[in-house]
Amino acid sequence: MNLLRTIQNQFRAALVGLVPDVEPYVAMIKPTQDAKHGDYQANCAMSLAKALGKKPRDIAQDIVKRLDLSDLLEPPEIAGPGFINLRLKSTWLAKQVQAIANDDRLGVALQPAKRYVIDYSSPNVAKPLHVGHLRSTIIGDALTRLLRFLGHTVITDNHLGDWGTQFGILLYGYKNLLDNEAYKKDPVRELARVYIEVRKLIGSDDEDNAANSVADACRAETAKLHHGDPENNRLWREFMPHCLAEIHEVYEKLGILTFDHEHGESFYNPLLPGVVESLLQTKTAEPGEGGAIIVRFSDDNVALVRKRDGAFTYTTSDLATIQYRLNEFAPNAVLYVVDFRQSQHFANLFAAARRWGIAAVELTHISFGSVLNRDGRPISTRKGDGSELIDLINKAVEIGLQKYQESYAERKAQGHDVPDLTEAVQRDIAETVGIGAIKYADLCQNRTSDYKFDYDKMLATEGNTATYMQYAYARNRSILRKENIDPMTLRNNPPSVAIDTPPERALAIQLLRLEESLLAAVAEYQPSAVTAYLWDLAKTYSGFFQNCPVLRAESGALKQSRLLLCDLTARVLQKCLNLLGIKTVDRM
Ligand code: ARG
């Protein structure tokens, strides 16, 4: 069920014959901000008038005359200079709502399937995950769920940075600073400690260019690793499972989907010489100074694909990756969820790939902004400021638990009917709430903006937060429980729906907009379209709930109808949250 498309189809038929290409005009139909102007509004008469040299109001009249209203629309109203205000018939809305109640997909159609490869999370391993990795992981996970729900095939690939200079640091640390006992007991912790110690000795965030003997020694270890030194390669194989275990622990805590593949950069290493050869052969690349090989885009924009010393680069490795993915997965699109600082890299990468002959596949960098602390500064990646991701997650859960227990005690003291919950169940709830809060706070931003990591804001019980949505869901479930209503009967055998009052009407329309919002989210790769929808839905539901008595409705039939609206709202809330990777609980 797609309200917008349904109306657009009706409109398309009315426009055919008026102009040669109707699509741009069909696309001008938008939901209205104010119910005064109907549910949807078309402003195409104004632009059509220009194209046809007629008066906008006359054109609007023409369109309205040609429009088949069927049982979908009330007679349209022409307003102002030629706006066409469209109002859906309540009887039609009621039927649609009843129909989606009986549908597991809540009326969302499967779309023509495409194949996506999505590259997200992709941390550099061998150092602890920090908050910078959060956004890619959360956004990528949400997009994967959304695309899959809409019927697409999504192949997820965690493109681990498992071959970079950080291994030189680890190798140096292992050889010089290791506490053997500690390593035996907890290799992950000990490697993390050693890593941090060596970073301190290097003393700079830029390990590639730092100038001191430790930095030199680390670079030498990396070079040995890349040149096949058996000892370093053996150690690399020994470290990797420990590095992965640490990352997977965070993923598990966050409840993100398991990756289909985790081909790190090391996986592509054997392919790199062949890639450079092919780049030269196809004249994608050219020799640069001192034996380097470059791809030249302009005089001041070149990408290195082989350094003077023969080492390959991030770009080389990413070109090999594209080629591999095309051969292996035959995707329609490859998406990279990576922060905005890599924009230039991806612009160059895609341009090089096109020149290399890679066509007919969408390549998109899904860029995002930084996570800031409460003072508005980017959270530093250095150890010691609590930016280790696992610490941030644990803290959100702790604060979630504290807030939850406060609200629980308060509700109980006020004589509200609160469920009896054991400490363990309360912990589970806190986990759901804390992690949901982190994810929602991230996803509700326009992803290209920066945002502040603020526990109080993300865990607020009022406003556009996961906590608010989770409460709305649980409260809704408790209504049905209290009345001993089995939601399955409302679903399997939906009662007829009454759309008599404005709040019921508004809620019905919101419920029917689910598909529209999911499509908007994937069209722009913007999960915030889903949170915006959730927020609208929650507000509309609250208006409905305040104005339309459910359990004390005037008649049995009306009560059934309103219960169905309640249940459907809960299902849509839950579905949207789940598509964002956020869980719900039935009691709070
Ligand atoms: N490992 C990189 C980093 O942490 C991100 C990799 C993104 N994916 C890619 N195919 N380049 O900066």
Side-chain angles (χ1 to χ4, degrees):
M1 158 52 17
N2 190 316
L3 281 183
L4 182 59
R5 273 198 196 159
T6 309
I7 295 175
Q8 284 178 336
N9 290 342
Q10 216 87 344
F11 235 77
R12 184 176 293 110
L15 289 174
V16 168
L18 277 182
V19 270
D21 181 12
V22 299
E23 287 317 313
Y25 302 102
V26 171
M28 288 180 193
I29 300 170
K30 299 268 150 69
T32 56
Q33 297 302 325
D34 186 341
K36 265 207 316 270
H37 304 133
D39 305 316
Y40 287 81
Q41 189 175 62
N43 62 4
C44 56
M46 278 79 93
S47 1
L48 261 174
K50 250 190 227 139
L52 300 177
K54 292 194 187 160
K55 286 202 196 105
R57 276 191 82 99
D58 292 348
I59 299 267
Q61 286 291 0
D62 252 15
I63 298 173
V64 168
K65 247 187 265 151
R66 295 161 142 257
L67 199 59
D68 174 11
L69 306 175
S70 68
D71 56 357
L72 177 75
L73 294 167
E74 302 282 2
E77 195 180 89
I78 298 171
F83 292 109
I84 305 172
N85 293 343
L86 301 165
R87 212 176 134 79
L88 294 156
K89 277 198 178 137
S90 293
T91 45
W92 185 84
L93 285 171
K95 273 205 208 99
Q96 303 306 314
V97 170
Q98 188 182 20
I100 66 166
N102 190 241
D103 176 10
D104 281 342
R105 297 185 53 81
L106 300 164
V108 178
L110 292 168
Q111 307 299 308
K114 293 212 299 184
R115 289 171 72 77
Y116 291 87
V117 171
I118 173 164
D119 175 327
Y120 67 97
S121 197
S122 308
N124 293 336
V125 304
K127 41 186 172 185
L129 287 187
H130 63 83
V131 68
H133 296 116
L134 185 68
R135 297 209 74 184
S136 174
T137 309
I138 293 178
I139 296 170
D141 186 68
L143 290 175
T144 302
R145 292 171 195 263
L146 283 162
L147 288 165
R148 282 187 180 154
F149 180 64
L150 290 171
H152 302 297
T153 300
V154 185
I155 297 133
T156 59
D157 190 5
N158 191 8
H159 190 75
L160 302 166
D162 61 355
W163 201 238
T165 40
Q166 73 276 22
F167 277 98
I169 295 179
L170 216 50
L171 287 162
Y172 176 88
Y174 180 92
K175 292 177 185 179
N176 296 287
L177 302 169
L178 196 76
D179 174 340
N180 271 307
E181 281 311 302
Y183 183 67
K184 258 186 225 135
K185 251 197 245 134
D186 187 348
V188 175
R189 273 295 116 218
E190 179 56 11
L191 287 177
R193 185 191 70 80
V194 158
Y195 178 84
I196 290 155
E197 286 308 311
V198 180
R199 287 302 298 250
K200 278 191 204 148
L201 296 176
I202 293 176
S204 155
D205 265 351
D206 181 6
E207 65 236 25
D208 281 333
N209 297 307
N212 58 60
S213 59
V214 177
D216 286 341
C218 290
R219 282 192 288 267
E221 295 294 354
T222 309
K224 273 167 73 185
L225 172 70
H226 289 175
H227 292 132
D229 174 75
E231 166 76 351
N232 278 9
N233 277 269
R234 181 187 68 72
L235 283 172
W236 180 85
R237 281 193 299 274
E238 182 175 317
F239 296 161
M240 269 307 285
H242 301 313
C243 299
L244 286 178
E246 176 165 23
I247 290 169
H248 288 154
E249 192 193 326
V250 177
Y251 291 161
E252 196 156 313
K253 182 106 189 169
L254 276 175
I256 67 151
L257 298 165
T258 318
F259 286 96
D260 294 326
H261 302 282
E262 290 194 308
H263 295 320
E265 286 173 22
S266 64
F267 178 83
Y268 301 97
N269 190 48
L271 306 175
L272 303 184
V275 166
V276 172
E277 207 167 291
S278 160
L279 291 171
L280 282 170
Q281 248 167 34
T282 55
K283 303 232 176 334
T284 308
E286 59 190 78
E289 268 169 51
I293 311 277
I294 59 172
V295 183
R296 181 186 298 280
F297 301 104
S298 68
D299 283 345
D300 50 8
N301 181 16
V302 296
L304 266 177
V305 289
R306 205 180 74 194
K307 299 187 197 167
R308 287 172 185 209
D309 65 4
F312 301 107
T313 67
Y314 189 44
T315 306
T316 331
S317 164
D318 256 334
L319 283 167
T321 307
I322 293 187
Q323 191 178 50
Y324 176 85
R325 286 174 176 163
L326 294 196
N327 292 338
E328 198 70 12
F329 308 122
N332 301 101
V334 185
L335 313 178
Y336 299 80
V337 189
V338 184
D339 82 74
F340 73 98
R341 280 175 296 242
Q342 296 195 23
S343 298
Q344 187 63 53
H345 165 71
F346 284 108
N348 284 350
L349 176 67
F350 299 162
R354 299 294 182 208
R355 204 188 277 177
W356 198 21
I358 286 169
V361 61
E362 174 194 334
L363 300 170
T364 301
H365 173 206
I366 300 179
S367 169
F368 54 81
S370 306
V371 184
L372 309 174
N373 63 22
R374 283 173 78 159
D375 305 329
R377 264 182 291 244
I379 297 184
S380 152
T381 60
R382 284 228 199 96
K383 172 77 180 166
D385 64 353
S387 69
E388 238 192 77
L389 190 49
I390 194 76
D391 298 337
L392 294 178
I393 298 170
N394 287 334
K395 191 161 169 200
V397 172
E398 269 329 298
I399 298 179
L401 182 64
Q402 202 182 318
K403 285 196 177 222
Y404 173 70
Q405 285 176 335
E406 279 165 20
S407 114
Y408 184 83
E410 202 177 304
R411 282 180 290 152
K412 203 163 184 165
Q414 289 169 352
H416 286 291
D417 182 21
V418 286
D420 251 330
L421 302 175
T422 61
E423 177 82 25
V425 173
Q426 295 196 14
R427 276 234 144 245
D428 268 358
I429 294 175
E431 194 102 359
T432 303
V433 167
I435 288 166
I438 292 184
K439 290 185 177 179
Y440 199 97
D442 193 310
L443 295 170
C444 73
Q445 306 295 322
N446 178 326
R447 62 176 158 74
T448 55
S449 323
D450 298 343
Y451 78 96
K452 284 187 189 172
F453 196 89
D454 179 338
Y455 291 110
D456 286 332
K457 228 166 118 188
M458 65 175 70
L459 284 156
T461 47
E462 291 293 330
N464 191 14
T465 63
T467 317
Y468 177 73
M469 303 300 158
Q470 287 165 328
Y471 265 113
Y473 175 80
R475 256 197 304 267
N476 188 314
R477 292 298 80 189
S478 85
I479 297 171
L480 269 69
R481 252 195 325 270
K482 240 185 281 171
E483 288 288 301
N484 275 322
I485 292 158
D486 176 10
M488 288 326 283
T489 52
L490 288 172
R491 298 174 196 181
N492 296 336
N493 218 338
S496 66
V497 177
I499 306 288
D500 297 334
T501 62
E504 283 168 312
R505 194 165 196 288
L507 182 57
I509 290 181
Q510 277 307 325
L511 291 168
L512 294 171
R513 277 195 180 148
L514 173 61
E515 181 180 307
E516 215 172 289
S517 82
L518 301 184
L519 290 182
V522 300
E524 307 280 325
Y525 304 122
Q526 261 308 358
S528 62
V530 181
T531 59
Y533 169 73
L534 273 171
W535 183 221
D536 282 340
L537 176 63
K539 283 185 291 192
T540 313
Y541 175 69
S542 141
F544 158 81
F545 200 70
Q546 275 160 28
N547 293 296
C548 305
V550 177
L551 299 180
R552 262 165 288 173
E554 292 101 83
S555 71
L558 193 57
K559 175 171 163 182
Q560 285 301 311
S561 163
R562 289 183 177 165
L563 281 169
L564 179 133
L565 288 174
C566 285
D567 183 56
L568 201 48
T569 304
R571 289 166 70 194
V572 173
L573 285 175
Q574 183 180 46
K575 177 48 98 194
C576 288
L577 289 172
N578 289 350
L579 289 175
L580 300 175
I582 298 171
K583 292 187 189 146
T584 52
V585 286
D586 278 2
R587 313 165 186 259
M588 285 177 84

Short mmCIF file of all heavy atoms in Angstrom, two decimals, residues 119 121-124 133 159-161 265 314 318 321 325 336 338 342 345-346, ligand 1:
data_model
loop_
_atom_site.label_atom_id
_atom_site.label_comp_id
_atom_site.label_asym_id
_atom_site.label_seq_id
_atom_site.Cartn_x
_atom_site.Cartn_y
_atom_site.Cartn_z
N ASP A 119 29.34 -2.09 2.24
CA ASP A 119 30.63 -2.13 2.96
C ASP A 119 30.47 -1.19 4.14
O ASP A 119 30.31 0.01 3.97
CB ASP A 119 31.68 -1.64 1.94
CG ASP A 119 33.09 -1.47 2.48
OD1 ASP A 119 33.26 -1.10 3.64
OD2 ASP A 119 34.03 -1.65 1.66
N SER A 121 30.95 -0.59 8.74
CA SER A 121 31.72 -0.83 9.95
C SER A 121 33.21 -0.75 9.60
O SER A 121 33.85 0.23 9.91
CB SER A 121 31.38 -2.15 10.65
OG SER A 121 31.87 -2.10 11.97
N SER A 122 33.74 -1.79 8.97
CA SER A 122 35.09 -1.76 8.39
C SER A 122 36.16 -1.07 9.23
O SER A 122 36.86 -0.18 8.75
CB SER A 122 35.03 -1.09 7.00
OG SER A 122 34.04 -1.69 6.20
N PRO A 123 36.27 -1.45 10.49
CA PRO A 123 37.27 -0.78 11.33
C PRO A 123 38.69 -1.26 11.01
O PRO A 123 38.87 -2.31 10.41
CB PRO A 123 36.89 -1.23 12.74
CG PRO A 123 36.28 -2.57 12.55
CD PRO A 123 35.55 -2.50 11.23
N ASN A 124 39.65 -0.44 11.42
CA ASN A 124 41.03 -0.91 11.40
C ASN A 124 41.23 -1.75 12.64
O ASN A 124 41.11 -1.24 13.75
CB ASN A 124 41.98 0.27 11.38
CG ASN A 124 41.87 1.05 10.08
OD1 ASN A 124 41.44 0.50 9.06
ND2 ASN A 124 42.21 2.31 10.12
N HIS A 133 33.64 4.47 14.95
CA HIS A 133 33.17 3.29 14.23
C HIS A 133 31.68 3.04 14.42
O HIS A 133 31.09 2.22 13.76
CB HIS A 133 33.93 2.04 14.70
CG HIS A 133 35.38 2.11 14.39
ND1 HIS A 133 36.34 2.14 15.37
CD2 HIS A 133 36.03 2.18 13.21
CE1 HIS A 133 37.53 2.21 14.80
NE2 HIS A 133 37.37 2.24 13.49
N HIS A 159 34.79 -4.59 5.60
CA HIS A 159 36.09 -4.44 4.92
C HIS A 159 37.15 -4.03 5.95
O HIS A 159 37.57 -2.88 6.03
CB HIS A 159 35.95 -3.37 3.83
CG HIS A 159 37.12 -3.28 2.92
ND1 HIS A 159 37.38 -4.19 1.93
CD2 HIS A 159 38.11 -2.35 2.83
CE1 HIS A 159 38.47 -3.83 1.26
NE2 HIS A 159 38.93 -2.72 1.80
N LEU A 160 37.56 -5.00 6.74
CA LEU A 160 38.47 -4.72 7.85
C LEU A 160 39.80 -4.16 7.39
O LEU A 160 40.37 -4.62 6.40
CB LEU A 160 38.74 -6.03 8.62
CG LEU A 160 37.51 -6.74 9.18
CD1 LEU A 160 37.87 -8.16 9.60
CD2 LEU A 160 36.94 -5.96 10.35
N GLY A 161 40.26 -3.17 8.11
CA GLY A 161 41.62 -2.69 7.89
C GLY A 161 42.54 -3.60 8.68
O GLY A 161 42.85 -3.35 9.83
N GLU A 265 41.41 -6.02 4.14
CA GLU A 265 42.36 -5.59 3.11
C GLU A 265 43.37 -6.69 2.79
O GLU A 265 43.80 -6.83 1.64
CB GLU A 265 43.09 -4.33 3.57
CG GLU A 265 42.22 -3.09 3.53
CD GLU A 265 42.90 -1.88 4.15
OE1 GLU A 265 44.14 -1.85 4.23
OE2 GLU A 265 42.18 -0.96 4.56
N TYR A 314 45.93 2.21 -0.18
CA TYR A 314 44.50 2.05 0.12
C TYR A 314 43.68 2.05 -1.18
O TYR A 314 42.77 1.23 -1.36
CB TYR A 314 44.12 3.25 1.01
CG TYR A 314 42.75 3.24 1.63
CD1 TYR A 314 42.21 2.09 2.21
CD2 TYR A 314 42.00 4.42 1.68
CE1 TYR A 314 40.96 2.12 2.81
CE2 TYR A 314 40.76 4.46 2.29
CZ TYR A 314 40.23 3.31 2.85
OH TYR A 314 39.00 3.35 3.44
N ASP A 318 41.36 -0.86 -2.70
CA ASP A 318 39.94 -0.65 -2.95
C ASP A 318 39.57 -0.94 -4.41
O ASP A 318 38.45 -1.36 -4.70
CB ASP A 318 39.54 0.78 -2.56
CG ASP A 318 38.78 0.80 -1.23
OD1 ASP A 318 38.15 -0.22 -0.89
OD2 ASP A 318 38.81 1.83 -0.53
N THR A 321 39.23 -4.53 -4.63
CA THR A 321 38.00 -4.92 -3.94
C THR A 321 36.78 -4.75 -4.85
O THR A 321 35.91 -5.62 -4.92
CB THR A 321 37.82 -4.08 -2.66
OG1 THR A 321 39.00 -4.16 -1.88
CG2 THR A 321 36.65 -4.57 -1.84
N ARG A 325 34.39 -7.77 -6.05
CA ARG A 325 32.95 -7.77 -5.73
C ARG A 325 32.10 -7.88 -6.99
O ARG A 325 31.06 -8.55 -6.99
CB ARG A 325 32.58 -6.49 -4.96
CG ARG A 325 33.08 -6.54 -3.53
CD ARG A 325 32.86 -5.22 -2.81
NE ARG A 325 33.26 -5.33 -1.41
CZ ARG A 325 33.50 -4.31 -0.62
NH1 ARG A 325 33.38 -3.07 -1.08
NH2 ARG A 325 33.84 -4.50 0.64
N TYR A 336 29.25 2.30 0.20
CA TYR A 336 30.32 2.41 1.20
C TYR A 336 29.86 3.35 2.30
O TYR A 336 29.68 4.54 2.05
CB TYR A 336 31.58 3.00 0.58
CG TYR A 336 32.18 2.18 -0.55
CD1 TYR A 336 31.66 2.25 -1.83
CD2 TYR A 336 33.28 1.36 -0.32
CE1 TYR A 336 32.22 1.51 -2.86
CE2 TYR A 336 33.85 0.62 -1.34
CZ TYR A 336 33.31 0.69 -2.62
OH TYR A 336 33.86 -0.04 -3.64
N VAL A 338 31.02 5.22 5.03
CA VAL A 338 32.31 5.65 5.57
C VAL A 338 32.25 7.16 5.83
O VAL A 338 31.59 7.89 5.09
CB VAL A 338 33.46 5.35 4.57
CG1 VAL A 338 34.82 5.71 5.18
CG2 VAL A 338 33.45 3.89 4.13
N GLN A 342 36.67 10.73 4.16
CA GLN A 342 37.17 9.94 3.03
C GLN A 342 36.49 10.28 1.71
O GLN A 342 36.59 9.54 0.73
CB GLN A 342 37.05 8.45 3.36
CG GLN A 342 37.94 8.06 4.54
CD GLN A 342 38.14 6.57 4.68
OE1 GLN A 342 38.01 5.80 3.74
NE2 GLN A 342 38.46 6.14 5.90
N HIS A 345 38.83 10.40 -1.24
CA HIS A 345 39.27 9.06 -1.59
C HIS A 345 38.21 8.36 -2.46
O HIS A 345 38.54 7.77 -3.49
CB HIS A 345 39.55 8.23 -0.33
CG HIS A 345 39.66 6.75 -0.59
ND1 HIS A 345 40.74 6.19 -1.25
CD2 HIS A 345 38.82 5.72 -0.33
CE1 HIS A 345 40.55 4.88 -1.37
NE2 HIS A 345 39.39 4.56 -0.81
N PHE A 346 36.96 8.44 -2.04
CA PHE A 346 35.93 7.72 -2.79
C PHE A 346 35.64 8.38 -4.14
O PHE A 346 35.40 7.70 -5.12
CB PHE A 346 34.66 7.53 -1.95
CG PHE A 346 34.84 6.44 -0.93
CD1 PHE A 346 34.95 6.73 0.41
CD2 PHE A 346 34.95 5.12 -1.33
CE1 PHE A 346 35.16 5.73 1.36
CE2 PHE A 346 35.15 4.10 -0.40
CZ PHE A 346 35.26 4.41 0.95
N1 ARG B 1 39.25 0.75 7.41
C1 ARG B 1 38.90 2.06 6.94
C2 ARG B 1 39.01 3.07 8.08
O1 ARG B 1 38.83 2.72 9.23
C3 ARG B 1 37.51 2.12 6.36
C4 ARG B 1 37.29 1.21 5.19
C5 ARG B 1 36.08 1.57 4.41
N2 ARG B 1 35.86 0.72 3.28
C6 ARG B 1 36.56 0.75 2.16
N3 ARG B 1 36.28 -0.12 1.22
N4 ARG B 1 37.51 1.64 1.95
O2 ARG B 1 39.24 4.23 7.82
#
